[in-house]
Amino acid sequence: MLDRCPVVPVVVLDDPAHAVPLGEALLAGGIDVVEITLRTAAGLEGLRALGKLEGMLVGAGTVLVPDQVDEVVEAGAGFVVSPGFSARVVDRAAERDVPVLPGVSGATDLMAVVEHGLSEVKLFPAGPLGGPAVVKALASPFSGMRFMPSGGITPDTMGDYLALPPVPAVSGSWMVERTLLAEQRWAEVTARAANAVARARRWREASGRRTGSRT
Ligand SMILES: O=C[C@H](O)COP(=O)(O)O
Ligand SMILES: CC(=O)C(=O)O
């Protein structure tokens, strides 16, 4: 997932009927990975609908407890994301054979991640924690760890993260703002997605790094 697309939209869905047009809008902008959060009642149904959209890899976000891992796997989630580290969520994901990206906010979380044999995490909330400097500091003792920063990232700051070798992708909600979805402004979603992918490509090229397959 982390190598597929350098920018992963994080979606808070209010209406499950918006899931498929949203997915189509993202694909049109060159984004083929999306995280649907369980923050709303519509999340699970939206995940189920979007999972059937050809060419889109759909994951579940805001997975807080192990039973939600079962729910999202049954709804077709291709990966699971949590805002923090839960050993029980990680273990359930392993039992269900679904890739999991636990959230970390510091070295103690990363110690637990290493103990569980994982080497890919979400850094959350990346901006308030201190931005790219935090990735650099954490990557030093945890060499080999790959980070997907999220939280407070903007089109203007994402390049500073993507320029770092341990950062294959960033995630955020700016491409799929809740109001855009409510107003069904799909062309704007496509434009923001295309802009994000183009910026990611530029930053990667400037820093001599390869982008994901679709970029
Ligand atoms: O997990 C994702 C975050 O909620 C995304 O953060 P953001 O809304 O600041 O982009
Ligand atoms: C913030 C986050 O990681 C999530 O909602 O999954």
Side-chain angles (χ1 to χ4, degrees):
M1 183 277 269
L2 290 182
D3 292 314
R4 183 168 159 132
C5 186
V7 193
V8 178
V10 177
V11 180
V12 178
L13 202 63
D14 289 307
D15 183 344
H18 292 162
V20 170
L22 167 66
E24 288 168 344
L26 290 171
L27 284 173
I31 288 186
D32 62 355
V33 181
V34 63
E35 177 186 325
I36 306 289
T37 65
L38 298 186
R39 296 180 207 178
T40 55
L44 200 58
E45 197 181 329
L47 181 70
R48 199 172 287 116
L50 208 43
K52 297 188 183 113
L53 187 63
E54 179 143 4
M56 183 62 92
L57 174 61
V58 187
T62 324
V63 175
L64 305 179
V65 295
D67 286 353
Q68 288 178 317
V69 175
D70 295 328
E71 284 172 5
V72 301
V73 166
E74 278 143 34
F79 61 92
V80 164
V81 184
S82 297
F85 180 84
S86 154
R88 294 179 64 222
V89 166
V90 165
D91 289 344
R92 185 69 63 87
E95 279 164 37
R96 300 299 305 249
D97 203 21
V98 64
V100 61
L101 210 54
V104 301
S105 60
T108 305
D109 298 334
L110 283 161
M111 301 272 288
V113 166
V114 170
E115 240 176 66
H116 279 74
L118 298 177
S119 57
E120 294 179 334
V121 294
K122 170 169 183 161
L123 179 70
F124 178 78
L129 283 171
V134 175
V135 180
K136 281 190 211 161
L138 290 173
S140 188
F142 296 96
S143 64
M145 188 63 64
R146 300 208 306 161
F147 298 84
M148 179 177 77
S150 185
I153 296 177
T154 69
D156 291 331
T157 61
M158 67 179 212
D160 298 334
Y161 294 94
L162 288 170
L164 303 174
V167 177
V170 298
S171 76
S173 62
W174 77 90
M175 295 149 282
V176 289
E177 262 177 47
R178 224 162 161 173
T179 50
L180 291 183
L181 274 49
E183 293 163 13
Q184 304 197 53
R185 292 170 58 197
W186 308 127
E188 176 65 15
V189 171
T190 297
R192 290 191 190 192
N195 179 272
V197 169
R199 277 175 179 243
R201 186 195 301 129
R202 274 204 302 279
W203 276 93
R204 283 288 164 80
E205 280 166 4
S207 61
R209 298 191 52 213
R210 240 172 35 83
T211 45
S213 56
R214 282 179 60 91
T215 57

